[in-house]
């Protein structure tokens, strides 16, 4: 994948590659989820993911550490909902592991478990 840079004054900041987690069968569940969203919501999430690529590591309010190298990208959507995309950083790249629309204050355990399982799969090759 080609490396891109953005010019911040006198500093060139490299764009970190972002890949979607891929199952053994070749499916990309986070990309599939993203494609089902309204265009405006997709664009907002895409913009936040790109911000993460250019500014990594990023803290709050855009990214929150979830422990053990798992992060959530926090996006307020034009549809007045909130999305989360779980990511990890491995071997110089970012991986979008799992995405969902947040409906409760607490992140559902099931969504965290999916993201953690996929993170381990990425790390184990």
């Amino acid at each position: 994948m080609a490396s891109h840079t953005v010019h911040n004054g006198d500093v060139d900041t490299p764009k970190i590659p972002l890949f979607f987690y891929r199952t053994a069968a070749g499916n990309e569940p986070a990309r599939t989820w993203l494609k089902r969203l309204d265009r405006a919501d997709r664009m907002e999430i895409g913009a936040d993911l790109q911000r993460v690529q250019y500014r990594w590591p990023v803290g709050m309010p855009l990214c929150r550490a979830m422990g053990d190298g798992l992060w959530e990208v926090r996006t307020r959507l034009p549809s007045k909902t909130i999305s989360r995309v779980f990511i990890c950083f491995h071997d110089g790249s970012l991986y979008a592991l799992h995405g969902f629309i947040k409906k409760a204050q607490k992140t559902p355990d099931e969504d965290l478990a999916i993201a953690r399982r996929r993170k381990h799969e990425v790390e184990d090759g």
Side-chain angles (χ1 to χ4, degrees):
M1 181 177 279
S3 177
H4 302 281
T5 58
V6 65
H7 302 284
N8 293 339
D10 295 332
V11 181
D12 286 342
T13 305
K15 179 180 179 183
I16 296 172
L18 182 132
F19 298 99
F20 285 87
Y21 160 84
R22 183 172 287 173
T23 66
N27 300 317
E28 295 175 324
R31 185 190 301 267
T32 300
W33 167 79
L34 195 59
K35 286 181 173 181
R36 285 192 297 240
L37 299 176
D38 291 341
R39 184 178 190 283
D41 289 351
R42 275 196 320 268
M43 298 296 288
E44 198 67 32
I45 293 167
D48 279 349
L49 289 172
Q50 190 171 52
R51 285 181 190 98
V52 172
Q53 286 181 270
Y54 280 112
R55 299 179 189 165
W56 186 258
V58 183
M60 291 288 280
L62 181 58
C63 282
R64 182 168 75 130
M66 302 302 287
D68 193 33
L70 185 67
W71 296 79
E72 68 175 6
V73 179
R74 307 153 47 91
T75 305
R76 291 193 179 276
L77 302 175
S79 63
K80 306 297 184 214
T81 56
I82 296 171
S83 77
R84 296 293 186 257
V85 176
F86 287 114
I87 62 169
C88 68
F89 181 77
H90 179 69
D91 280 348
S93 297
L94 294 165
Y95 290 84
L97 304 168
H98 178 64
F100 66 101
I101 300 298
K102 192 159 183 191
K103 297 181 176 144
Q105 186 71 25
K106 184 180 183 299
T107 298
D109 290 338
E110 179 182 337
D111 290 297
L112 270 170
I114 290 168
R116 286 192 173 116
R117 185 179 69 246
R118 291 175 180 170
K119 176 184 170 290
H120 291 298
E121 288 178 35
V122 165
E123 293 170 344
D124 293 343

